Amino acid sequence: MNTFGHLLRVTTFGESHGPAIGCVIDGCPPGVAIAPEDFAHDLARRATGRSRHTSARREEDAVEILSGVYEGVTTGTPIALLVRNTDQRSKDYRDIARQFRPGHADYAYWHKYGVRDPRGGGRSSARETTMRVAAAVVAKKWLAERHGVTVRGHMAQIGDVLPRAHDWNAVEDNPFFWPCAEQVPELEAYVDALRKSGDSVGAKVVAVADGVPPGWGEPVYGKLDGELAAAMMSINAVKGVEIGDGFASVAQKGTVHRDVMTPAGFLSNHAGGVLGGISSGQPVVVSVAFKPTSSLRLPVEGVDVDGNVVDVITTGRHDPCVGIRATPICEAMLALVLMDQALRHRAQCGDVDEVTPRIPPSADA
Ligand code: EPS
């Protein structure tokens, strides 16, 4: 499947070293103002080649709107977006075209399809996430304009390094999306040393949606948290997803985990904004675990497509930590799931009257 969503359906296409990548967004309501320049900010936040801490591949990542927008607004017809690939270096992949990188999708793709495009990882490349971020520019805009919902994210761990403070204002001022400004020089040294060593490391990203009203999500199949888990797991290199306190809930008592409600507001947000698969009106909080990059220049024993033992060495321009660029991607998946659920809620329950005053979200969540 290369399509996800129900009422808002996004299909992405393209390979890392093909002529272009793109997406089709179907089901977007008419009247959303969209211009090609709206995409630049989020695409640059995700792109390679913008700091020494990510892959040096330098793509412009300029979005062309092919359909679905007339005189600057969406028309309700499919929105097709295209980004041309311009900085492929396929010779980097010549020597491993018939080998499997340990920890990479190469082996599984080969067994599934019996054929694969090895250049830049083909369809399994993180290049594909460009189009998720592009599609989510439309979703973020609609969510903000129609519902006052904002989506943001930050890195919450890299290797064994944790933030010493949490300041949203610091996040966009460093290449790691790190919420503690005083640690940035430390992180730069950490990633410089990592890159020089040729090894890689994992990371955790947290994405948060503020302003989500209560009621979005489905009660059994299609739960908001279930769909968020599937959406985050569909991102390259993701190995774990938590909603709210996630696995930390295991050690908590019920008296701690329950988020006490008062007319003045919730007193905590251990649930991460989802109760029974449906949004509670609290911020929706999703944590995502990224594994270490599998493309390493450090040699390792492996096998090739004929079953021979080989030394696998991956040359080229790779990220020492894919999590460094993952914050906008997690935000994108959160925004796309929320917009889909909002449209589904409107379709079924748009004329349900609220009979109980809303409880404000907790101040500190
Ligand atoms: C990637 C490997 C590298 C990254 C690429 C993701 O590709 P290449 O060898 O062609 O430089 O640069 O990331 C992007 C191009 C991007 O836009 O995210 C991989 O194996 O996933």
Side-chain angles (χ1 to χ4, degrees), residues 334-359:
L334 176 54
L336 290 168
V337 168
L338 285 174
M339 180 169 172
D340 186 38
Q341 291 281 11
L343 293 172
R344 288 153 75 179
H345 178 67
R346 184 167 81 174
Q348 188 194 13
C349 300
D351 52 7
V352 172
D353 292 325
E354 287 191 34
V355 291
T356 300
R358 286 189 190 181
I359 297 168

mmCIF file with all atom_site columns, all heavy atoms in Angstrom, residues 334-359:
data_model
loop_
_atom_site.group_PDB
_atom_site.id
_atom_site.type_symbol
_atom_site.label_atom_id
_atom_site.label_alt_id
_atom_site.label_comp_id
_atom_site.label_asym_id
_atom_site.label_entity_id
_atom_site.label_seq_id
_atom_site.pdbx_PDB_ins_code
_atom_site.Cartn_x
_atom_site.Cartn_y
_atom_site.Cartn_z
_atom_site.occupancy
_atom_site.B_iso_or_equiv
_atom_site.pdbx_formal_charge
_atom_site.auth_seq_id
_atom_site.auth_comp_id
_atom_site.auth_asym_id
_atom_site.auth_atom_id
_atom_site.pdbx_PDB_model_num
ATOM 1   N N   . LEU A 1 334 ? 1.121   13.149 12.329 1.00 0.00 ? 334 LEU A N   1
ATOM 2   C CA  . LEU A 1 334 ? 0.124   13.540 13.333 1.00 0.00 ? 334 LEU A CA  1
ATOM 3   C C   . LEU A 1 334 ? -0.941  14.437 12.688 1.00 0.00 ? 334 LEU A C   1
ATOM 4   O O   . LEU A 1 334 ? -2.149  14.230 12.877 1.00 0.00 ? 334 LEU A O   1
ATOM 5   C CB  . LEU A 1 334 ? 0.833   14.252 14.497 1.00 0.00 ? 334 LEU A CB  1
ATOM 6   C CG  . LEU A 1 334 ? -0.020  14.834 15.618 1.00 0.00 ? 334 LEU A CG  1
ATOM 7   C CD1 . LEU A 1 334 ? -0.969  13.798 16.216 1.00 0.00 ? 334 LEU A CD1 1
ATOM 8   C CD2 . LEU A 1 334 ? 0.875   15.416 16.726 1.00 0.00 ? 334 LEU A CD2 1
ATOM 9   N N   . ALA A 1 335 ? -0.511  15.406 11.891 1.00 0.00 ? 335 ALA A N   1
ATOM 10  C CA  . ALA A 1 335 ? -1.465  16.333 11.255 1.00 0.00 ? 335 ALA A CA  1
ATOM 11  C C   . ALA A 1 335 ? -2.374  15.595 10.262 1.00 0.00 ? 335 ALA A C   1
ATOM 12  O O   . ALA A 1 335 ? -3.584  15.848 10.212 1.00 0.00 ? 335 ALA A O   1
ATOM 13  C CB  . ALA A 1 335 ? -0.701  17.453 10.540 1.00 0.00 ? 335 ALA A CB  1
ATOM 14  N N   . LEU A 1 336 ? -1.801  14.687 9.491  1.00 0.00 ? 336 LEU A N   1
ATOM 15  C CA  . LEU A 1 336 ? -2.606  13.976 8.485  1.00 0.00 ? 336 LEU A CA  1
ATOM 16  C C   . LEU A 1 336 ? -3.645  13.077 9.151  1.00 0.00 ? 336 LEU A C   1
ATOM 17  O O   . LEU A 1 336 ? -4.802  13.013 8.722  1.00 0.00 ? 336 LEU A O   1
ATOM 18  C CB  . LEU A 1 336 ? -1.692  13.166 7.552  1.00 0.00 ? 336 LEU A CB  1
ATOM 19  C CG  . LEU A 1 336 ? -0.841  14.019 6.604  1.00 0.00 ? 336 LEU A CG  1
ATOM 20  C CD1 . LEU A 1 336 ? 0.245   13.170 5.936  1.00 0.00 ? 336 LEU A CD1 1
ATOM 21  C CD2 . LEU A 1 336 ? -1.705  14.704 5.540  1.00 0.00 ? 336 LEU A CD2 1
ATOM 22  N N   . VAL A 1 337 ? -3.254  12.384 10.221 1.00 0.00 ? 337 VAL A N   1
ATOM 23  C CA  . VAL A 1 337 ? -4.210  11.520 10.939 1.00 0.00 ? 337 VAL A CA  1
ATOM 24  C C   . VAL A 1 337 ? -5.314  12.379 11.563 1.00 0.00 ? 337 VAL A C   1
ATOM 25  O O   . VAL A 1 337 ? -6.499  12.047 11.481 1.00 0.00 ? 337 VAL A O   1
ATOM 26  C CB  . VAL A 1 337 ? -3.481  10.675 12.006 1.00 0.00 ? 337 VAL A CB  1
ATOM 27  C CG1 . VAL A 1 337 ? -4.475  9.998  12.948 1.00 0.00 ? 337 VAL A CG1 1
ATOM 28  C CG2 . VAL A 1 337 ? -2.584  9.628  11.349 1.00 0.00 ? 337 VAL A CG2 1
ATOM 29  N N   . LEU A 1 338 ? -4.929  13.505 12.161 1.00 0.00 ? 338 LEU A N   1
ATOM 30  C CA  . LEU A 1 338 ? -5.933  14.359 12.812 1.00 0.00 ? 338 LEU A CA  1
ATOM 31  C C   . LEU A 1 338 ? -6.923  14.928 11.803 1.00 0.00 ? 338 LEU A C   1
ATOM 32  O O   . LEU A 1 338 ? -8.124  14.969 12.060 1.00 0.00 ? 338 LEU A O   1
ATOM 33  C CB  . LEU A 1 338 ? -5.249  15.497 13.575 1.00 0.00 ? 338 LEU A CB  1
ATOM 34  C CG  . LEU A 1 338 ? -4.580  15.106 14.893 1.00 0.00 ? 338 LEU A CG  1
ATOM 35  C CD1 . LEU A 1 338 ? -3.816  16.297 15.471 1.00 0.00 ? 338 LEU A CD1 1
ATOM 36  C CD2 . LEU A 1 338 ? -5.605  14.587 15.913 1.00 0.00 ? 338 LEU A CD2 1
ATOM 37  N N   . MET A 1 339 ? -6.424  15.351 10.655 1.00 0.00 ? 339 MET A N   1
ATOM 38  C CA  . MET A 1 339 ? -7.362  15.917 9.664  1.00 0.00 ? 339 MET A CA  1
ATOM 39  C C   . MET A 1 339 ? -8.321  14.847 9.159  1.00 0.00 ? 339 MET A C   1
ATOM 40  O O   . MET A 1 339 ? -9.518  15.092 9.015  1.00 0.00 ? 339 MET A O   1
ATOM 41  C CB  . MET A 1 339 ? -6.587  16.551 8.495  1.00 0.00 ? 339 MET A CB  1
ATOM 42  C CG  . MET A 1 339 ? -7.527  17.152 7.465  1.00 0.00 ? 339 MET A CG  1
ATOM 43  S SD  . MET A 1 339 ? -6.655  18.173 6.263  1.00 0.00 ? 339 MET A SD  1
ATOM 44  C CE  . MET A 1 339 ? -7.985  18.489 5.088  1.00 0.00 ? 339 MET A CE  1
ATOM 45  N N   . ASP A 1 340 ? -7.798  13.647 8.936  1.00 0.00 ? 340 ASP A N   1
ATOM 46  C CA  . ASP A 1 340 ? -8.661  12.546 8.490  1.00 0.00 ? 340 ASP A CA  1
ATOM 47  C C   . ASP A 1 340 ? -9.736  12.268 9.541  1.00 0.00 ? 340 ASP A C   1
ATOM 48  O O   . ASP A 1 340 ? -10.924 12.121 9.228  1.00 0.00 ? 340 ASP A O   1
ATOM 49  C CB  . ASP A 1 340 ? -7.781  11.308 8.241  1.00 0.00 ? 340 ASP A CB  1
ATOM 50  C CG  . ASP A 1 340 ? -8.568  10.158 7.637  1.00 0.00 ? 340 ASP A CG  1
ATOM 51  O OD1 . ASP A 1 340 ? -9.445  10.416 6.795  1.00 0.00 ? 340 ASP A OD1 1
ATOM 52  O OD2 . ASP A 1 340 ? -8.294  8.997  8.014  1.00 0.00 ? 340 ASP A OD2 1
ATOM 53  N N   . GLN A 1 341 ? -9.308  12.212 10.816 1.00 0.00 ? 341 GLN A N   1
ATOM 54  C CA  . GLN A 1 341 ? -10.275 11.928 11.884 1.00 0.00 ? 341 GLN A CA  1
ATOM 55  C C   . GLN A 1 341 ? -11.272 13.081 12.044 1.00 0.00 ? 341 GLN A C   1
ATOM 56  O O   . GLN A 1 341 ? -12.447 12.858 12.339 1.00 0.00 ? 341 GLN A O   1
ATOM 57  C CB  . GLN A 1 341 ? -9.538  11.685 13.211 1.00 0.00 ? 341 GLN A CB  1
ATOM 58  C CG  . GLN A 1 341 ? -8.745  10.391 13.244 1.00 0.00 ? 341 GLN A CG  1
ATOM 59  C CD  . GLN A 1 341 ? -9.610  9.159  13.492 1.00 0.00 ? 341 GLN A CD  1
ATOM 60  O OE1 . GLN A 1 341 ? -10.838 9.219  13.447 1.00 0.00 ? 341 GLN A OE1 1
ATOM 61  N NE2 . GLN A 1 341 ? -8.959  8.026  13.740 1.00 0.00 ? 341 GLN A NE2 1
ATOM 62  N N   . ALA A 1 342 ? -10.828 14.299 11.837 1.00 0.00 ? 342 ALA A N   1
ATOM 63  C CA  . ALA A 1 342 ? -11.741 15.452 11.948 1.00 0.00 ? 342 ALA A CA  1
ATOM 64  C C   . ALA A 1 342 ? -12.828 15.375 10.877 1.00 0.00 ? 342 ALA A C   1
ATOM 65  O O   . ALA A 1 342 ? -14.002 15.636 11.149 1.00 0.00 ? 342 ALA A O   1
ATOM 66  C CB  . ALA A 1 342 ? -10.946 16.752 11.805 1.00 0.00 ? 342 ALA A CB  1
ATOM 67  N N   . LEU A 1 343 ? -12.416 14.993 9.659  1.00 0.00 ? 343 LEU A N   1
ATOM 68  C CA  . LEU A 1 343 ? -13.398 14.884 8.568  1.00 0.00 ? 343 LEU A CA  1
ATOM 69  C C   . LEU A 1 343 ? -14.369 13.730 8.841  1.00 0.00 ? 343 LEU A C   1
ATOM 70  O O   . LEU A 1 343 ? -15.573 13.837 8.573  1.00 0.00 ? 343 LEU A O   1
ATOM 71  C CB  . LEU A 1 343 ? -12.682 14.676 7.233  1.00 0.00 ? 343 LEU A CB  1
ATOM 72  C CG  . LEU A 1 343 ? -11.856 15.865 6.741  1.00 0.00 ? 343 LEU A CG  1
ATOM 73  C CD1 . LEU A 1 343 ? -11.037 15.477 5.507  1.00 0.00 ? 343 LEU A CD1 1
ATOM 74  C CD2 . LEU A 1 343 ? -12.761 17.061 6.418  1.00 0.00 ? 343 LEU A CD2 1
ATOM 75  N N   . ARG A 1 344 ? -13.858 12.641 9.389  1.00 0.00 ? 344 ARG A N   1
ATOM 76  C CA  . ARG A 1 344 ? -14.718 11.494 9.716  1.00 0.00 ? 344 ARG A CA  1
ATOM 77  C C   . ARG A 1 344 ? -15.690 11.865 10.832 1.00 0.00 ? 344 ARG A C   1
ATOM 78  O O   . ARG A 1 344 ? -16.864 11.474 10.821 1.00 0.00 ? 344 ARG A O   1
ATOM 79  C CB  . ARG A 1 344 ? -13.854 10.293 10.122 1.00 0.00 ? 344 ARG A CB  1
ATOM 80  C CG  . ARG A 1 344 ? -13.138 9.684  8.932  1.00 0.00 ? 344 ARG A CG  1
ATOM 81  C CD  . ARG A 1 344 ? -11.845 8.996  9.322  1.00 0.00 ? 344 ARG A CD  1
ATOM 82  N NE  . ARG A 1 344 ? -12.044 7.724  9.983  1.00 0.00 ? 344 ARG A NE  1
ATOM 83  C CZ  . ARG A 1 344 ? -11.035 6.941  10.388 1.00 0.00 ? 344 ARG A CZ  1
ATOM 84  N NH1 . ARG A 1 344 ? -9.782  7.319  10.177 1.00 0.00 ? 344 ARG A NH1 1
ATOM 85  N NH2 . ARG A 1 344 ? -11.272 5.795  10.971 1.00 0.00 ? 344 ARG A NH2 1
ATOM 86  N N   . HIS A 1 345 ? -15.210 12.609 11.808 1.00 0.00 ? 345 HIS A N   1
ATOM 87  C CA  . HIS A 1 345 ? -16.073 13.036 12.915 1.00 0.00 ? 345 HIS A CA  1
ATOM 88  C C   . HIS A 1 345 ? -17.181 13.948 12.388 1.00 0.00 ? 345 HIS A C   1
ATOM 89  O O   . HIS A 1 345 ? -18.358 13.793 12.748 1.00 0.00 ? 345 HIS A O   1
ATOM 90  C CB  . HIS A 1 345 ? -15.239 13.770 13.968 1.00 0.00 ? 345 HIS A CB  1
ATOM 91  C CG  . HIS A 1 345 ? -16.053 14.282 15.105 1.00 0.00 ? 345 HIS A CG  1
ATOM 92  N ND1 . HIS A 1 345 ? -16.686 13.451 15.996 1.00 0.00 ? 345 HIS A ND1 1
ATOM 93  C CD2 . HIS A 1 345 ? -16.373 15.555 15.481 1.00 0.00 ? 345 HIS A CD2 1
ATOM 94  C CE1 . HIS A 1 345 ? -17.350 14.173 16.884 1.00 0.00 ? 345 HIS A CE1 1
ATOM 95  N NE2 . HIS A 1 345 ? -17.181 15.452 16.587 1.00 0.00 ? 345 HIS A NE2 1
ATOM 96  N N   . ARG A 1 346 ? -16.798 14.864 11.505 1.00 0.00 ? 346 ARG A N   1
ATOM 97  C CA  . ARG A 1 346 ? -17.792 15.786 10.928 1.00 0.00 ? 346 ARG A CA  1
ATOM 98  C C   . ARG A 1 346 ? -18.846 15.016 10.135 1.00 0.00 ? 346 ARG A C   1
ATOM 99  O O   . ARG A 1 346 ? -20.039 15.315 10.214 1.00 0.00 ? 346 ARG A O   1
ATOM 100 C CB  . ARG A 1 346 ? -17.067 16.798 10.030 1.00 0.00 ? 346 ARG A CB  1
ATOM 101 C CG  . ARG A 1 346 ? -17.968 17.858 9.464  1.00 0.00 ? 346 ARG A CG  1
ATOM 102 C CD  . ARG A 1 346 ? -17.163 18.977 8.855  1.00 0.00 ? 346 ARG A CD  1
ATOM 103 N NE  . ARG A 1 346 ? -16.686 18.675 7.516  1.00 0.00 ? 346 ARG A NE  1
ATOM 104 C CZ  . ARG A 1 346 ? -16.049 19.541 6.736  1.00 0.00 ? 346 ARG A CZ  1
ATOM 105 N NH1 . ARG A 1 346 ? -15.786 20.747 7.189  1.00 0.00 ? 346 ARG A NH1 1
ATOM 106 N NH2 . ARG A 1 346 ? -15.660 19.220 5.531  1.00 0.00 ? 346 ARG A NH2 1
ATOM 107 N N   . ALA A 1 347 ? -18.413 13.999 9.400  1.00 0.00 ? 347 ALA A N   1
ATOM 108 C CA  . ALA A 1 347 ? -19.346 13.236 8.568  1.00 0.00 ? 347 ALA A CA  1
ATOM 109 C C   . ALA A 1 347 ? -20.387 12.513 9.423  1.00 0.00 ? 347 ALA A C   1
ATOM 110 O O   . ALA A 1 347 ? -21.575 12.539 9.121  1.00 0.00 ? 347 ALA A O   1
ATOM 111 C CB  . ALA A 1 347 ? -18.565 12.228 7.721  1.00 0.00 ? 347 ALA A CB  1
ATOM 112 N N   . GLN A 1 348 ? -19.945 11.866 10.507 1.00 0.00 ? 348 GLN A N   1
ATOM 113 C CA  . GLN A 1 348 ? -20.895 11.073 11.294 1.00 0.00 ? 348 GLN A CA  1
ATOM 114 C C   . GLN A 1 348 ? -21.569 11.876 12.397 1.00 0.00 ? 348 GLN A C   1
ATOM 115 O O   . GLN A 1 348 ? -22.758 11.694 12.653 1.00 0.00 ? 348 GLN A O   1
ATOM 116 C CB  . GLN A 1 348 ? -20.188 9.863  11.933 1.00 0.00 ? 348 GLN A CB  1
ATOM 117 C CG  . GLN A 1 348 ? -21.200 8.920  12.583 1.00 0.00 ? 348 GLN A CG  1
ATOM 118 C CD  . GLN A 1 348 ? -20.570 7.896  13.516 1.00 0.00 ? 348 GLN A CD  1
ATOM 119 O OE1 . GLN A 1 348 ? -19.402 7.999  13.885 1.00 0.00 ? 348 GLN A OE1 1
ATOM 120 N NE2 . GLN A 1 348 ? -21.356 6.905  13.899 1.00 0.00 ? 348 GLN A NE2 1
ATOM 121 N N   . CYS A 1 349 ? -20.818 12.747 13.048 1.00 0.00 ? 349 CYS A N   1
ATOM 122 C CA  . CYS A 1 349 ? -21.313 13.348 14.297 1.00 0.00 ? 349 CYS A CA  1
ATOM 123 C C   . CYS A 1 349 ? -21.372 14.873 14.234 1.00 0.00 ? 349 CYS A C   1
ATOM 124 O O   . CYS A 1 349 ? -21.459 15.529 15.284 1.00 0.00 ? 349 CYS A O   1
ATOM 125 C CB  . CYS A 1 349 ? -20.409 12.927 15.464 1.00 0.00 ? 349 CYS A CB  1
ATOM 126 S SG  . CYS A 1 349 ? -20.352 11.152 15.718 1.00 0.00 ? 349 CYS A SG  1
ATOM 127 N N   . GLY A 1 350 ? -21.334 15.415 13.030 1.00 0.00 ? 350 GLY A N   1
ATOM 128 C CA  . GLY A 1 350 ? -21.284 16.874 12.873 1.00 0.00 ? 350 GLY A CA  1
ATOM 129 C C   . GLY A 1 350 ? -22.468 17.590 13.473 1.00 0.00 ? 350 GLY A C   1
ATOM 130 O O   . GLY A 1 350 ? -22.371 18.769 13.815 1.00 0.00 ? 350 GLY A O   1
ATOM 131 N N   . ASP A 1 351 ? -23.615 16.893 13.636 1.00 0.00 ? 351 ASP A N   1
ATOM 132 C CA  . ASP A 1 351 ? -24.780 17.583 14.207 1.00 0.00 ? 351 ASP A CA  1
ATOM 133 C C   . ASP A 1 351 ? -25.103 17.124 15.626 1.00 0.00 ? 351 ASP A C   1
ATOM 134 O O   . ASP A 1 351 ? -26.198 17.332 16.124 1.00 0.00 ? 351 ASP A O   1
ATOM 135 C CB  . ASP A 1 351 ? -26.006 17.435 13.284 1.00 0.00 ? 351 ASP A CB  1
ATOM 136 C CG  . ASP A 1 351 ? -26.274 15.989 12.917 1.00 0.00 ? 351 ASP A CG  1
ATOM 137 O OD1 . ASP A 1 351 ? -25.595 15.100 13.484 1.00 0.00 ? 351 ASP A OD1 1
ATOM 138 O OD2 . ASP A 1 351 ? -27.159 15.737 12.069 1.00 0.00 ? 351 ASP A OD2 1
ATOM 139 N N   . VAL A 1 352 ? -24.113 16.488 16.302 1.00 0.00 ? 352 VAL A N   1
ATOM 140 C CA  . VAL A 1 352 ? -24.304 16.138 17.718 1.00 0.00 ? 352 VAL A CA  1
ATOM 141 C C   . VAL A 1 352 ? -24.095 17.398 18.561 1.00 0.00 ? 352 VAL A C   1
ATOM 142 O O   . VAL A 1 352 ? -23.072 18.075 18.413 1.00 0.00 ? 352 VAL A O   1
ATOM 143 C CB  . VAL A 1 352 ? -23.295 15.035 18.159 1.00 0.00 ? 352 VAL A CB  1
ATOM 144 C CG1 . VAL A 1 352 ? -23.367 14.804 19.670 1.00 0.00 ? 352 VAL A CG1 1
ATOM 145 C CG2 . VAL A 1 352 ? -23.560 13.737 17.403 1.00 0.00 ? 352 VAL A CG2 1
ATOM 146 N N   . ASP A 1 353 ? -25.062 17.689 19.417 1.00 0.00 ? 353 ASP A N   1
ATOM 147 C CA  . ASP A 1 353 ? -24.929 18.874 20.283 1.00 0.00 ? 353 ASP A CA  1
ATOM 148 C C   . ASP A 1 353 ? -24.136 18.525 21.539 1.00 0.00 ? 353 ASP A C   1
ATOM 149 O O   . ASP A 1 353 ? -24.376 17.486 22.156 1.00 0.00 ? 353 ASP A O   1
ATOM 150 C CB  . ASP A 1 353 ? -26.314 19.395 20.706 1.00 0.00 ? 353 ASP A CB  1
ATOM 151 C CG  . ASP A 1 353 ? -27.075 19.965 19.510 1.00 0.00 ? 353 ASP A CG  1
ATOM 152 O OD1 . ASP A 1 353 ? -26.412 20.545 18.632 1.00 0.00 ? 353 ASP A OD1 1
ATOM 153 O OD2 . ASP A 1 353 ? -28.307 19.779 19.457 1.00 0.00 ? 353 ASP A OD2 1
ATOM 154 N N   . GLU A 1 354 ? -23.237 19.387 21.941 1.00 0.00 ? 354 GLU A N   1
ATOM 155 C CA  . GLU A 1 354 ? -22.519 19.178 23.211 1.00 0.00 ? 354 GLU A CA  1
ATOM 156 C C   . GLU A 1 354 ? -23.441 19.555 24.346 1.00 0.00 ? 354 GLU A C   1
ATOM 157 O O   . GLU A 1 354 ? -24.067 20.619 24.332 1.00 0.00 ? 354 GLU A O   1
ATOM 158 C CB  . GLU A 1 354 ? -21.257 20.046 23.250 1.00 0.00 ? 354 GLU A CB  1
ATOM 159 C CG  . GLU A 1 354 ? -20.174 19.523 22.335 1.00 0.00 ? 354 GLU A CG  1
ATOM 160 C CD  . GLU A 1 354 ? -18.834 20.219 22.574 1.00 0.00 ? 354 GLU A CD  1
ATOM 161 O OE1 . GLU A 1 354 ? -18.540 20.570 23.726 1.00 0.00 ? 354 GLU A OE1 1
ATOM 162 O OE2 . GLU A 1 354 ? -18.112 20.390 21.579 1.00 0.00 ? 354 GLU A OE2 1
ATOM 163 N N   . VAL A 1 355 ? -23.541 18.668 25.363 1.00 0.00 ? 355 VAL A N   1
ATOM 164 C CA  . VAL A 1 355 ? -24.453 18.933 26.480 1.00 0.00 ? 355 VAL A CA  1
ATOM 165 C C   . VAL A 1 355 ? -23.707 19.216 27.783 1.00 0.00 ? 355 VAL A C   1
ATOM 166 O O   . VAL A 1 355 ? -24.299 19.620 28.766 1.00 0.00 ? 355 VAL A O   1
ATOM 167 C CB  . VAL A 1 355 ? -25.439 17.753 26.688 1.00 0.00 ? 355 VAL A CB  1
ATOM 168 C CG1 . VAL A 1 355 ? -26.425 17.673 25.545 1.00 0.00 ? 355 VAL A CG1 1
ATOM 169 C CG2 . VAL A 1 355 ? -24.685 16.433 26.845 1.00 0.00 ? 355 VAL A CG2 1
ATOM 170 N N   . THR A 1 356 ? -22.392 18.961 27.803 1.00 0.00 ? 356 THR A N   1
ATOM 171 C CA  . THR A 1 356 ? -21.582 19.169 29.018 1.00 0.00 ? 356 THR A CA  1
ATOM 172 C C   . THR A 1 356 ? -20.508 20.205 28.707 1.00 0.00 ? 356 THR A C   1
ATOM 173 O O   . THR A 1 356 ? -19.888 20.130 27.642 1.00 0.00 ? 356 THR A O   1
ATOM 174 C CB  . THR A 1 356 ? -20.916 17.832 29.428 1.00 0.00 ? 356 THR A CB  1
ATOM 175 O OG1 . THR A 1 356 ? -21.951 16.888 29.687 1.00 0.00 ? 356 THR A OG1 1
ATOM 176 C CG2 . THR A 1 356 ? -20.047 17.987 30.666 1.00 0.00 ? 356 THR A CG2 1
ATOM 177 N N   . PRO A 1 357 ? -20.276 21.141 29.601 1.00 0.00 ? 357 PRO A N   1
ATOM 178 C CA  . PRO A 1 357 ? -19.205 22.118 29.318 1.00 0.00 ? 357 PRO A CA  1
ATOM 179 C C   . PRO A 1 357 ? -17.871 21.414 29.151 1.00 0.00 ? 357 PRO A C   1
ATOM 180 O O   . PRO A 1 357 ? -17.590 20.433 29.838 1.00 0.00 ? 357 PRO A O   1
ATOM 181 C CB  . PRO A 1 357 ? -19.186 22.999 30.577 1.00 0.00 ? 357 PRO A CB  1
ATOM 182 C CG  . PRO A 1 357 ? -20.441 22.699 31.301 1.00 0.00 ? 357 PRO A CG  1
ATOM 183 C CD  . PRO A 1 357 ? -20.927 21.352 30.885 1.00 0.00 ? 357 PRO A CD  1
ATOM 184 N N   . ARG A 1 358 ? -17.070 21.898 28.224 1.00 0.00 ? 358 ARG A N   1
ATOM 185 C CA  . ARG A 1 358 ? -15.751 21.302 28.009 1.00 0.00 ? 358 ARG A CA  1
ATOM 186 C C   . ARG A 1 358 ? -14.814 21.603 29.170 1.00 0.00 ? 358 ARG A C   1
ATOM 187 O O   . ARG A 1 358 ? -14.828 22.703 29.712 1.00 0.00 ? 358 ARG A O   1
ATOM 188 C CB  . ARG A 1 358 ? -15.110 21.839 26.728 1.00 0.00 ? 358 ARG A CB  1
ATOM 189 C CG  . ARG A 1 358 ? -15.735 21.256 25.504 1.00 0.00 ? 358 ARG A CG  1
ATOM 190 C CD  . ARG A 1 358 ? -14.928 21.634 24.280 1.00 0.00 ? 358 ARG A CD  1
ATOM 191 N NE  . ARG A 1 358 ? -15.688 21.268 23.096 1.00 0.00 ? 358 ARG A NE  1
ATOM 192 C CZ  . ARG A 1 358 ? -15.257 21.453 21.866 1.00 0.00 ? 358 ARG A CZ  1
ATOM 193 N NH1 . ARG A 1 358 ? -14.080 22.014 21.651 1.00 0.00 ? 358 ARG A NH1 1
ATOM 194 N NH2 . ARG A 1 358 ? -15.999 21.086 20.829 1.00 0.00 ? 358 ARG A NH2 1
ATOM 195 N N   . ILE A 1 359 ? -13.969 20.616 29.485 1.00 0.00 ? 359 ILE A N   1
ATOM 196 C CA  . ILE A 1 359 ? -12.943 20.808 30.509 1.00 0.00 ? 359 ILE A CA  1
ATOM 197 C C   . ILE A 1 359 ? -11.692 21.313 29.797 1.00 0.00 ? 359 ILE A C   1
ATOM 198 O O   . ILE A 1 359 ? -11.231 20.687 28.831 1.00 0.00 ? 359 ILE A O   1
ATOM 199 C CB  . ILE A 1 359 ? -12.647 19.474 31.230 1.00 0.00 ? 359 ILE A CB  1
ATOM 200 C CG1 . ILE A 1 359 ? -13.912 18.998 31.954 1.00 0.00 ? 359 ILE A CG1 1
ATOM 201 C CG2 . ILE A 1 359 ? -11.477 19.614 32.171 1.00 0.00 ? 359 ILE A CG2 1
ATOM 202 C CD1 . ILE A 1 359 ? -13.826 17.588 32.453 1.00 0.00 ? 359 ILE A CD1 1
#
